[in-house]
Amino acid sequence: MSDAAVKTKAPSEPLFSKKNKKLVTDPLTDNNPVTIQVLGICSALAITVQVEQGVVMGGAVLFVLILGNLIISLMRNLIPSRIRIIVQLVVVAALVIIVNELLKAFLPDVSEKLSVFVGLIITNCIIMGRFEAFAMANKPWPSIMDAIGNGLGYAGLLILVAIFRELFGSGTLYGFQIFGNSLPGEETGLYTLGYVNNNMMILPPMALIIVGIIIWVQRSRNKSLIEQH
Amino acid sequence: MESTLDIFIKAIFSENMIFAYFLGMCSYLAVSKTVKTAVGLGAAVIFVLTVTVPVNYLLENYLLKAGALSWIDESYADIDLSFLSFIMFIAVVASIVQLVEMIVEKFAPALYGALGIFLPLIAVNCSILGGALFMQDRQYSTILDATSFAFGSGIGWFIAIVAIAAIREKIRYSHVPGPLRGLGITFIITGLMGIAFMSFSGIKYGKDKPAEKTAVVKQTNK
């Protein structure tokens, strides 16, 4: 784990030292929050039907995680350990309310599609998990780095799954038609040759299967990640 | 309108928390290694959902919704506190979980022994907050409907986690390709189970469809 390494940090360390860089880059690949740490799947997969929703959701989680890790890290010596879960929940809930109000104001369409899943960022295991494992024990700056790394790792996976599902499920990417117009009667591009969208990709279970395949590919490339029984 | 029983059946099968919305996946993946612990966590989820959703329903309808405060005085009728709902719901969930833990410890030590370690985990289980948020989103008309939705969702979650735990116990003896072992195969099995559960979406609920049709016919006749 990369968490324990940072506890004994010299105060004069430069802001972008190797350790801090590692905090950002590790969760992007070999310590990805979704595929390796198994956190934050709860609210993630239902919204990966379109890339746009994935981007917005990833951005929202990144925002909440950075500010939350910063706040918890600043307060870490003031929080009594018995009630820390409640304190953490209140911090996340306040941040998620801000995100929800911002989305409603500036992106009403996406906010409507995400419906309850914005609220579910509160119980997203990534956020509570990073608070518990990192921000409670580390200084603010490494905590922000850790938040950026994990937030980006999460957003990256969401977008990757969404690319597969949107491209093969509806033939579009971020709303742009890639394979031509699929409306019956006015087909263009690939659809004139008889290509049909795979409606299976839009169904919820395919998100799980795609993540399963991503895990498969990742672990066969890096044998050290393989689980023993 | 759907009847209370329809809402109950729908929450178990066609709108299953795990297979249709992926709620509570974290604990679902972490605690499904043996059937025994899965049963414990599933029972705790049923219990906490059935208690918290009605409380949140009352909170939503008498405190948070637009105009909900009008029972105090008419002049409060245009107050809308719904932006506070996230923080209120999670506070209710966290405190009720704490309360339930204390009550169960005092009056049913045997049950506490069985559920003990799972109860604190549940405060951060997405399915509990998800239940409250879906209740708010779908605006059930009575508290009975909201309760039956919560109970049904809990049972759906229970079925899902017990089923995957049983499959994982068996799959330990099969030859799974190395990189898929553990997490990967669990994801794919859950996906396949989700596809199987989608067959329940063909169930016809109550008098939904015929009522709609006659309404349309009446409108066109006018």
Side-chain angles (χ1 to χ4, degrees), chain B residues 63-104:
Chain B
L63 190 63
L64 296 172
K65 215 159 77 173
L69 284 171
S70 57
W71 58 274
I72 302 177
D73 192 86
E74 279 307 310
S75 59
Y76 292 122
D78 52 354
I79 292 180
D80 181 1
L81 291 178
S82 53
F83 70 93
L84 281 177
S85 55
F86 292 161
I87 213 161
M88 294 297 271
F89 287 170
I90 197 70
V92 164
V93 170
S95 49
I96 284 187
V97 167
Q98 197 80 50
L99 205 66
V100 165
E101 200 183 341
M102 282 170 0
I103 292 173
V104 171

Side-chain angles (χ1 to χ4, degrees), chain A:
Chain A
M1 286 298 283
S2 60
D3 312 341
V6 203
K7 274 181 193 166
T8 52
K9 197 168 78 79
S12 60
E13 210 176 313
L15 282 183
F16 289 99
S17 64
K18 231 178 197 174
K19 264 180 206 160
N20 284 343
K21 264 188 202 153
K22 207 169 148 49
L23 284 178
V24 178
T25 52
D26 246 18
L28 294 182
T29 52
D30 287 349
N31 198 15
N32 188 284
V34 178
T35 58
I36 308 297
Q37 304 173 35
V38 211
L39 296 174
I41 304 142
C42 321
S43 53
L45 298 179
I47 49 93
T48 49
V49 181
Q50 287 170 340
V51 176
E52 192 186 9
Q53 292 173 35
V55 171
V56 171
M57 188 72 180
V61 170
L62 187 63
F63 172 82
V64 173
L65 194 53
I66 291 176
L67 282 182
N69 248 4
L70 176 65
I71 293 171
I72 293 290
S73 172
L74 287 172
M75 299 201 312
R76 69 188 186 282
N77 295 325
L78 301 173
I79 303 173
S81 67
R82 286 183 66 94
I83 58 160
R84 65 180 193 283
I85 300 274
I86 307 248
V87 174
Q88 290 164 0
L89 280 176
V90 171
V91 170
V92 189
L95 290 170
V96 171
I97 289 176
I98 297 174
V99 168
N100 192 32
E101 297 295 310
L102 286 176
L103 283 183
K104 267 189 201 157
F106 295 108
L107 293 168
D109 299 345
V110 184
S111 162
E112 191 120 307
K113 275 183 202 153
L114 291 177
S115 68
V116 302
F117 292 99
V118 179
L120 286 170
I121 296 177
I122 297 174
T123 47
N124 192 320
C125 321
I126 286 188
I127 293 176
M128 299 298 286
R130 291 333 287 169
F131 284 5
E132 275 288 293
F134 202 90
M136 286 298 284
N138 284 287
K139 294 206 167 116
W141 182 251
S143 300
I144 293 179
M145 287 288 144
D146 179 72
I148 294 176
N150 280 287
L152 287 179
Y154 173 81
L157 192 104
L158 276 197
I159 294 168
L160 186 63
V161 176
I163 285 175
F164 279 113
R165 290 184 73 189
E166 192 177 345
L167 185 63
F168 296 114
S170 13
T172 57
L173 267 186
Y174 214 91
F176 297 110
Q177 290 169 337
I178 301 290
F179 297 146
N181 193 345
S182 63
L183 280 179
E186 356 172 336
E187 290 104 334
T188 56
L190 267 184
Y191 295 98
T192 50
L193 304 172
Y195 176 80
V196 183
N197 283 327
N198 185 355
N199 286 331
M200 191 81 178
M201 289 302 232
I202 300 178
L203 303 177
M206 279 315 284
L208 286 165
I209 294 178
I210 291 173
V211 174
I213 293 170
I214 291 174
I215 291 174
W216 189 2
V217 171
Q218 189 186 13
R219 292 192 181 180
S220 38
R221 289 170 66 96
N222 188 344
K223 302 278 185 206
S224 64
L225 297 172
I226 292 175
E227 284 176 46
Q228 299 307 319
H229 280 291

Side-chain angles (χ1 to χ4, degrees), chain B residues 14 18 24 32 35 48 64 72 75 97 116 118 139-140 171 175 184 186 189:
Chain B
S14 56
I18 292 272
S32 62
V35 173
V48 174
L64 296 172
I72 302 177
S75 59
V97 167
F118 300 120
Q139 303 197 325
Y140 290 114
I171 217 158
H175 186 71
T186 313
I189 293 173

Side-chain angles (χ1 to χ4, degrees), chain A residues 85, chain B residues 97 101 112 115-125:
Chain A
I85 300 274
Chain B
V97 167
E101 200 183 341
Y112 182 75
L115 297 185
I117 46 166
F118 300 120
L119 277 174
L121 270 180
I122 283 182
V124 286
N125 186 319

